[in-house]
Amino acid sequence: MPKATSIAPTNIAFIKYMGRKDEALRLPENASVSMCLDHLLTTTTVEFSPTLTLDSITINGEQEDGEASRVIKHLDRIRKLAKIDHRAKVVSQNNFPTGTGLSSSSSGFAALTLAGCKAAGLDLNQRELSILARQGSGSACRSVPDGFVEWGDADTSEESYGKTIFAPDHWDIADVVAIVSTGRKTVKSSTAHQSVVDGPYYRTRINRMAEKVQRCKELILAKDFLSFGTLCEEEAMDLHVIFMSAGIIYLTPQSLELIKLVPQWRAEGLPVYFTLNTGQDVHLLCEKKDAKVVQDKLKGLDFVREVIVNEPGKGARMSAKHLF
Ligand code: PMV
């Protein structure tokens, strides 16, 4: 069977998915809205072969043990759909640090889904690919379609997928990512999804989510950057309130130092807002025309190790450049 390679972006959620109503199927408690990031990419090559006796998984040059079982489970889903039994060789490469809150599982499982399905001889449409990617990592369903994406809060697997609400060129905004540490986060997103639901503020959050998702979509449509940025920051703080009230702390002193500078930069006339995921790295949202100034500000901070400027990007796609 011929090998297949795909490239998929990570995505940054403006309104976040946190907590699941179905653990096994990864059905979210609430809808979310995100944007695919054009410079944070995973490339994955998959080959199913009758000569292999075991699945072999290499991520960023290292033979995987820890993540392997999750990847193998996903290969099993693909094998079941394709009605094949061959083991697979999977080689995957991120062009960014893994496990620091840059959502490598979203790009990773989107790329694995597309390359895996093609390599298995399946021809799924975008909706089917997104549904499948979701079962590997929830947010991966939003890395399949292009641009600005909504993932609803449907009650069934068949209805739970990411779809483009605006094309990448709808709005010239940027997500300037500040990497403040290369250490891996200590609590995985999967653990967070399970822990937060019993926290004291979780239901309060959930009750506000439909309205927030609606408002976010309206602000993207209207290209109202200041109101959009304000909403994104409020949402990021809300997410970390529910983390902290469940005993989970992702932010490091460096993350805090940076997010405290953001309102100061605004007061000086730079329209920039932050958002955060399950990790210590900070995403700064600004209009594309201001991305260079934001990048320079970040480069001036000694605790920022790397800065990656992203614009709205395409979703998962095939590539002719195989990794093996
Ligand atoms: O898809 P997961 O299980 O890695 O969870 C993603 C969780 C957040 O990044 C915090 C929110 C989101 O919607 O991307």
Side-chain angles (χ1 to χ4, degrees):
M1 298 178 88
K3 63 183 84 162
T5 300
S6 76
I7 299 174
T10 66
N11 65 77
I12 181 68
F14 306 128
I15 304 296
K16 322 274 183 183
Y17 139 62
M18 186 45 56
R20 300 170 182 141
K21 59 183 157 206
D22 186 313
E23 272 301 315
L25 286 172
R26 289 189 153 82
L27 297 180
E29 280 275 3
N30 64 277
S32 52
V33 178
S34 64
M35 162 177 119
C36 288
L37 301 178
D38 69 342
H39 276 107
L40 293 176
L41 302 170
T42 298
T43 303
T44 300
T45 301
V46 181
E47 182 174 30
F48 290 96
S49 165
T51 60
L52 292 170
T53 51
L54 285 174
D55 289 317
S56 146
I57 292 129
T58 305
I59 303 177
N60 295 330
E62 283 181 28
Q63 191 87 17
E64 278 292 321
D65 294 325
E67 277 296 295
S69 65
R70 206 164 149 196
V71 173
I72 291 169
K73 264 195 192 161
H74 206 59
L75 291 169
D76 287 341
R77 291 183 188 107
I78 294 170
R79 280 189 276 256
K80 194 170 165 200
L81 278 177
K83 301 187 174 65
I84 58 171
D85 202 27
H86 301 330
R87 300 299 99 184
K89 177 171 176 177
V90 177
V91 176
S92 189
Q93 192 69 41
N94 297 332
N95 70 347
F96 57 90
T98 305
T100 66
L102 297 183
S103 201
S104 55
S105 66
S106 66
S107 52
F109 279 94
L112 177 66
T113 302
L114 180 57
C117 285
K118 286 280 176 205
L122 287 166
D123 194 18
L124 302 190
N125 62 31
Q126 192 177 80
R127 174 177 154 271
E128 292 164 331
L129 287 166
S130 178
I131 290 170
L132 187 55
R134 187 203 76 230
Q135 295 169 60
S137 170
S139 55
C141 79
R142 297 187 313 234
S143 285
V144 174
D146 293 344
F148 297 84
V149 175
E150 178 179 12
W151 174 23
D153 61 356
D155 292 330
T156 65
S157 183
E158 284 308 293
E159 292 166 307
S160 185
Y161 56 94
K163 44 181 174 277
T164 300
I165 48 173
F166 300 101
D169 63 358
H170 166 71
W171 199 12
D172 286 338
I173 61 170
D175 173 8
V176 185
V177 177
I179 296 173
V180 297
S181 152
T182 51
R184 273 183 178 256
K185 60 193 181 196
T186 48
V187 182
K188 293 192 174 233
S189 304
S190 293
T191 313
H193 286 292
Q194 290 167 352
S195 306
V196 294
V197 293
D198 297 323
Y201 309 116
Y202 185 68
R203 282 290 137 198
T204 309
R205 169 177 166 78
I206 288 300
N207 290 338
R208 297 176 61 221
M209 293 314 281
E211 194 187 320
K212 281 210 228 184
V213 165
Q214 187 53 31
R215 181 157 167 75
C216 185
K217 291 197 292 185
E218 285 166 11
L219 294 174
I220 298 174
L221 174 67
K223 302 180 191 172
D224 178 346
F225 187 71
L226 301 192
S227 305
F228 167 79
T230 305
L231 175 68
C232 289
E233 252 185 40
E234 189 268 341
E235 164 65 352
M237 295 295 257
D238 191 274
L239 181 76
H240 282 260
V241 164
I242 64 153
F243 288 150
M244 288 189 206
S245 60
I248 301 170
I249 299 176
Y250 285 112
L251 304 180
T252 62
Q254 291 79 17
S255 328
L256 288 170
E257 199 168 331
L258 179 50
I259 67 176
K260 281 168 75 180
L261 283 171
V262 175
Q264 279 184 37
W265 291 344
R266 279 204 295 274
E268 290 160 20
L270 180 63
V272 58
Y273 296 83
F274 65 80
T275 187
L276 305 158
N277 276 350
T278 46
Q280 62 271 35
D281 292 332
V282 181
H283 295 250
L284 294 186
L285 303 170
C286 62
E287 290 175 278
K288 194 170 144 187
K289 64 178 172 52
D290 295 321
K292 178 80 177 70
V293 183
V294 171
Q295 185 181 19
D296 290 345
K297 288 251 183 218
L298 291 171
K299 284 188 170 161
L301 302 172
D302 59 4
F303 58 86
V304 173
R305 291 161 183 256
E306 202 181 329
V307 180
I308 304 164
V309 180
N310 294 277
E311 291 175 22
K314 289 165 113 169
R317 63 268 185 188
M318 297 304 293
S319 164
K321 286 190 195 151
H322 302 306
L323 295 179
F324 62 87

